[in-house]
Each structure stands twice: as C-alpha cells, then as structure tokens.
Amino acid sequence: MQTDTDPRHLIGRKAFDRHGTKIGTVDEVYLDDATGAPEWAAVRTGLFGRDVFVPLEPSEVVDEVLRVPFDRALIKGAPDLGVGRHLSPEQEVQLYRHYGLDTSRRSAPTPPPDTGFGHIAGSDEGGGTASGG
C-alpha cells in the first residue's frame, strides 16, 4: 500500500476483494510498532458480521475504496483475534500465514539475542555468570 496514506483516511472506506465483491467497511487501522506505518485494517463484514483483519500490504486504495487482493472467502475465514486491542507478534504471524504472506515481510526487526545475560554489570570480564545459590 502507499506508505504516504494517512490511516485516518482509511476509516469508513468500503473494502472489496480481488474480484470486486464488497467485504465491508474499514473500522480500524493498526500501525506497525517499529515504523508507525499502517499494517492491518479491521474490516466490519456486515451489520451482524465481525471485524476481520486484512493486510494493508499488498492492498491499495483505488477510487476511494480499499482493494484487498484476496478472495472474500479467505478474508472472512481470517482468525478471529478481536479488535480494539494491540496485535501481538504471534497474532501477526498467524495472520501473515493465513494470507499466505511471507512472515519475513514484517517490518519490525527481531530483537537481537540478549548477549549480556549473566554478565556482571560494570565488569570488563566477559565470563562472569549469575549462579543460583
């Protein structure tokens, strides 16, 4: 999706699948924790439907609507993760897998391993370890 799109302008837009079939209306936009870029949209699938998450990449805004390049059945079958709260990294991976997207596409980098674990603070010795005792 265009990275310059203001997420507030997505709220209320109609969303359509790859065949032009209406999915619903964008209720919320979820931002990437690391970059602040829009990453997921929660789409209300009907009056008595539920919100489903759709990836904003590779979706695009065309003619004032959100075009999601997946079939409606796949979108409606997305994991029900609830809306209105933060998506955990595990939930995001679950969504990426559901849509068949590469999980390495996530823009949030994996934190490096804690190489200082067990080292004594302020020590120049690399070998000090904590011991239970």
Side-chain angles (χ1 to χ4, degrees), residues 6 26-27 49 67 83 91 104 129:
D6 185 336
V26 177
D27 259 356
R67 301 273 179 198
V83 295
Q91 289 171 319
S104 67
T129 59

Side-chain angles (χ1 to χ4, degrees), residues 27-51:
D27 259 356
E28 296 183 47
V29 175
Y30 289 72
L31 307 180
D32 181 89
D33 288 339
T35 66
E39 188 169 15
W40 298 97
V43 176
R44 170 70 55 184
T45 59
L47 185 61
F48 298 107
R50 66 179 179 99
D51 280 285

Side-chain angles (χ1 to χ4, degrees), residues 103-121:
T103 56
S104 67
R105 294 168 50 113
R106 293 205 55 218
S107 53
T110 304
D114 188 0
T115 57
F117 179 75
H119 292 237
I120 300 170

Side-chain angles (χ1 to χ4, degrees), residues 30 40-43 51-55 75 78-79 81-83 87 95 99:
Y30 289 72
W40 298 97
V43 176
D51 280 285
V52 294
F53 287 97
V54 297
I75 295 166
L81 303 176
V83 295
L87 283 175
L95 287 168
Y99 286 106

